[in-house]
Structures are given as C-alpha cells and as structure tokens.
Amino acid sequence: MKWFQRKSGDGTPGDVQPPVEPEKKMEQVDSVVDSFRKRVESAGLPGPILVAARDEYERLAKVDKSSPEYAIGYNYLEFILSLPWNVTTKDDLDLDRAETILDARHHGLGQVKERILEFLAVKNLHGRHETKILLADDELIARENLSLVFEREGFTVTAVANGLEAVAAMERDPADVVVTDLKMECMDGLELLEALRRRWPDTGVIMLTGYATVKTAVTAMRKGADQYLSKPVNLTKLRDYVYDLLQKNHRAQHLRGPVLCFTGPPGTGKTSIGQAIAEAMGRKFFRLSLAGLRDEAELRGHRRTYVGAMAGRILQGIQKVGVRNPVIMLDEMDKIIQDFQGDATSVLLELLDPEQNTAFADHYLGLPFDLSGVMFIATANVVERLPAPLRDRMEEIEFSSYTIKEKQEIATRFLIPKQLYQHGLKENSIRVLPDAVRRLILDYTRESGLRGLEKQIASLCRKLARQTLAHGETSDIREVNGDDIPEIMGATPHFTTVARSTAKVGLATGLVWTEVGGDIIFVETARMRGNKQLILTGSLGEVLRESAQTALSYIRSHAEQFGISPDFFESSDIHVHIPAGAVTKEGPSAGLTIAIALLSLLTERPVRQDMAFTGELSLLGEVLPVGGIREKIMAAARAGIRTVVLPEKCERAVHSLEEDVLEGLDIRLVHGLDDAVDLALL
C-alpha cells in the first residue's frame, strides 16, 4: 500500500504515520489486561473486592482502547489497586515515650494530655490480651493434633472432652474462639452452641463433625455457629476461619474506643496535638479541613456515571498515606455549611459511627472499605454549632485558655527561638527578658491561644533585625526588657480593662466569657423620675435583657427585705447600661451582677470594686451555675480583682483548676442573692 507524503516545516517531505492496525490495538489491550490480572491476583484483595476487580478487568478486555469506557475502567482498577486494603502500621503504645513527645510538643494542657494517655493505656492493655482457643472433641487424637497446630501458631489452647467440660472451662477463663465437635457425650456440640450463645455471645464458634449433612450444617448455622467444617478437617481452612473470627472479634472490641473531639478557642493547639498523637502512636497522619464544605460528594465521592468522577477526600487521604489505620484529623468541623443544597454532616454520621464505618461506602469505589482501624480526631471552636447526633458520637475534650505563666513559658521555650531563627537573628545575641514577654502578652495580645502572641514576637524580631543592621552587628548580647517594648513596638493595640480603685454606688463588676477568653464588664445603673420604665442600653441581647428584668422583679418583690420602699418604682425610671456599646453582649451570667448594681443604687450602699461576680439569677433569688469559669477567673486576676463570687454549684469546676490559675484570688461560692449582697455591699 502506498502512503501519501506531506511537506514538513522546512519544506522537506515528511512521512504520514499509518494508523495502528486493529490487531495491534487488541494486543495492547490484552497486555494491559494481563498486567491488571497479575496485579489483582497477587494483591491479596478481600473476597468481594477481588470479585469486583476480576469483573472489571474482564470487562476492560472487551472494550476498545479508544473508547471513553476504557479510560474509566482503567482508572477505576488503578484506584482499587492503590488502596491499602491490608496494609497497617503497628501502634507504638509506650506510654513513657508518648508522654515525652506530648510534653516536648506542648507545654501545659495537662487534662488534655492525661485523657490521651488514658486512651493509649487502654489500647496497651487490650494489646496484651492473649488469644485463647478452646477445643472440645471426644477423640483424644483429634484434640492432641489440633492443640499442636494452634500452639505452633502462638495461641493459648485448652482441650476438653465434652460440652460440660467446655462450659466449665469457659467459666474459669473465657476463650476467644471455640472449636467443637458435633457428636459428644454428656453435652453435644449443638447444646454447647446454645449455651455459648446465651452466656458468651461474642465468642466465635466453629463446628466440626464426621457426619456432615446439609441438614446438620443448616441447623448449626441457624443456632449461631460462625463456621461449619466436616472431618477430616482441612487445617488450612480451619486456620483461616479462626483468624477471620479473631479479626472480627478484635475489631468489635477496638470499635469501643472513642472518637475524640477537641473543642476550644483558636490557637490553643488542637491541630498540632493531633499530629503529636499520631507521632506518639507511630501512625501516619493526614488533616482534612472541613471549613466551607457544603457538598457531601467531596467526602463520599462522585458516581462513575459522571464525567471526571473521582473518589471522596476520605479515600483519597487513605490512598495518599498508604495505610488503612492512620490518624485522620477532621479539622474545623463546626464550619461545615448546612443549607438547602445539602448537609455534609450526614456523611460524618456514618464515618464516625463504629457500627457503620466497617463498610464505608464511597460513591466512586462502589465497594465497602473498612475504616474501623482509623483513629478520628475532630476539632471545633464552637461545638454547640454541631448537630446533636454528631456530637453524640464523639467524646469532647475542651482546650481551655492558656494562663499568663503558660504563655510566658511557651514563648520563652518555643516561640522566641523559632522566630529569632526565622528572622536571621542569633539566639545567643538577643535575650528577651521575662518582663518583656509578660508585657507583650498583657498589652499587645487579647486571645486565649498563641497565634496573636507569635505574630507580636515576629514583629518584635523584624524590628530588632532592622536595628541590628542599622547599628551594625556586635558581639555584645542585647537584652530586651519590659520598658523597651513600648519604644520598639509602639502604642498598644488593645485597651486593658482594669478594676476601679474606689467603691461606688450603682456600679458592679461582672465576669464574662468570649471566644477569645474571659473579660470583665462594668454594670452601671441610674435612677430618675419617670413612669416605671426599665431602660437597657449597651447592645444587650434578648437573654441579657431578660436577666435584667428578672433581677428588677426579684428586688421589687423583696423590697422590704432589703430595706427599700415597696413603691420605689412607681414614679421612677431605672437605667442599666453596660459600656462598650459597639460590642454585642448576650448570655445569662450577668444576672447576679445586675442585681448587685441595682441593690447598691436603691440602698445607696457602694459595691466593693475589688470584687467581681458571675452567675444566673432566678426569680426565686437563687444563683444558678454558668460556664467558662476558668477563663473568667483568669480575666479577674488579670484585671486586678481580688475576690470572685461564683455560684455554689460551680464548686467542682473550681476544684479542677490549676493552682496558678487561682493564685492570689479569694473564691467565694454563694447559694442565693442574699449571700452575695452580704459580701458585696459596704
């Protein structure tokens, strides 16, 4: 056959390549299919996955290579083979090593570290469990042979002659798997099976018999046997059945472990401590940010009927780390978007449920993938935004605000050396003194975590770097003290609220919780002629307004008890104001503070200004418990408060605080408003 010629770019004739012959195309397809066949058969895929992969490469052999279906099938097989179906990493459960790693990565967070070490301790004890097998057979030679086989495999074996002895052995020391003969004296295999299922339902049972019939097999399986084998026993099959039952039993016990959810303000170390956990356990780690997620297909994948379909981010992460038991951090879970277009949290319900994630269904894969070995750690700033069914599946661990001492220690040990290195400064040439670090914390940051502090330290290092170049490098060590900070850093970006120095009538100090930590507020009150109006200003929310109304109603109903004229409100208006009107304020914890300020106004008795209050006030005058106690107490200490008045039911929260949080403070617990009045009014 003669082929036409065309001219190439330089004018010389160039050959036109002949099209590939159909026979060559089929040879190429056959070679690809043969390669897939070898890889699939040698990959050790689970049974259902192996069947699906075989069907796929057999279908691929019938498809033309230029067809879009060929590319879809090719990519699908590659994805199946790239998943770690049987690849795991062995957990390192050395508690001393884990504690060392956690302490090296994070200072403070004692309660968080303790909970993580408890979790590892439980896994450690579970890993020490010796696998026990109970053999029940009336033939001595059969018992001896099977005992020899399983003892070589490293199992602890107990052999008995009948069902009664088997029940007695289970009462002494329950076994993980029972291998029993069907025909035995005293108690046969079926009777033993009924006793096992009634008293030890989690124990695996394999039934053996020399008289195997379909009827006896069906009867045994209906009564709860996990497997059924006829004699002479195929030892390879029996061994495989035992390992399958042990793996299932281990998975069931493993699934009882918690899914941890780290909650707390930004910058408190939630994400980084998840990485430390993975390092301490010797597992692979990958982080999955859920912020802004609105489509469940991002987690579960797209069906292969769509053009450009791909697996979800969960299986993509598993594929990337190459093991099926990594630590997966579901970061920013409270930022998932829930609207009319969909709710991605429904996927998380399956993902975090131990009863469902053993067969996680990705739309692209279309086959069950076992995620029971994965350790999931979720993070959220405001856990109340999560749906209740999702919160029910997780164990919440709260990351509280760092204390000033903890921030100083972290800045000195970690942040300052890190920033000096990143800005080209030698650690032995510049020394930031403790009073300078404290001034940075108090005057230049306003947060629970450390991100703002690290930014300010970076700013300090930039200014020091410029000064170093301007004045020339010397061998002298430059010390930066607290008095140098305003000169170097400039004016403070935050105004620090401090307690008033003198007692005043109608003014009380309250404690509040915010997303960046605790703070103090001042409740100001005034009385004037009017027509029984309660005026509330300061951008107060609905709950806070109700708290003010409750406080006034209680005082009016008990006016004589406090020495106030019962008709004090008949021709008066009362104004309650909380400064910083541009900031929206909400919550019930200011009820006690408002009541104290009103009583001070009406009785003309000044309120101690070195005392701060928090607590919800009921219409019966009881002071009800509130949250955020740690942050509020830290805010009181920072503002110069000496005495903190808390609800009586917050006693447990106070006892759980560290000594340095309570240092220098007098904590008073009150049951009702009467108790607080005796403490507050002069």
Side-chain angles (χ1 to χ4, degrees), residues 417-429:
K418 173 185 174 183
Q419 292 300 327
L420 288 175
Y421 174 78
Q422 290 183 356
H423 289 82
L425 298 170
K426 297 179 180 179
E427 190 174 347
N428 57 2
S429 64

Side-chain angles (χ1 to χ4, degrees), residues 641-661:
I641 299 294
R642 297 180 181 178
T643 305
V644 177
V645 179
L646 299 174
E648 189 177 52
K649 294 183 179 178
C650 291
E651 183 178 6
R652 182 178 298 179
V654 173
H655 288 325
S656 66
L657 298 178
E658 304 92 327
E659 291 184 2
D660 59 334
V661 176

Side-chain angles (χ1 to χ4, degrees), residues 420 424-432 468 473-480:
L420 288 175
L425 298 170
K426 297 179 180 179
E427 190 174 347
N428 57 2
S429 64
I430 293 178
R431 184 181 303 158
V432 183
T468 300
E473 295 189 34
T474 64
S475 59
D476 297 334
I477 298 177
R478 178 174 180 183
E479 293 185 346
V480 180

Side-chain angles (χ1 to χ4, degrees), residues 508-511 521-523 589-598 612-615:
T509 305
L511 298 173
I521 60 170
F522 297 110
V523 176
S589 63
L592 175 61
T593 311
I594 295 173
I596 293 294
L598 289 174
F613 312 87
T614 184

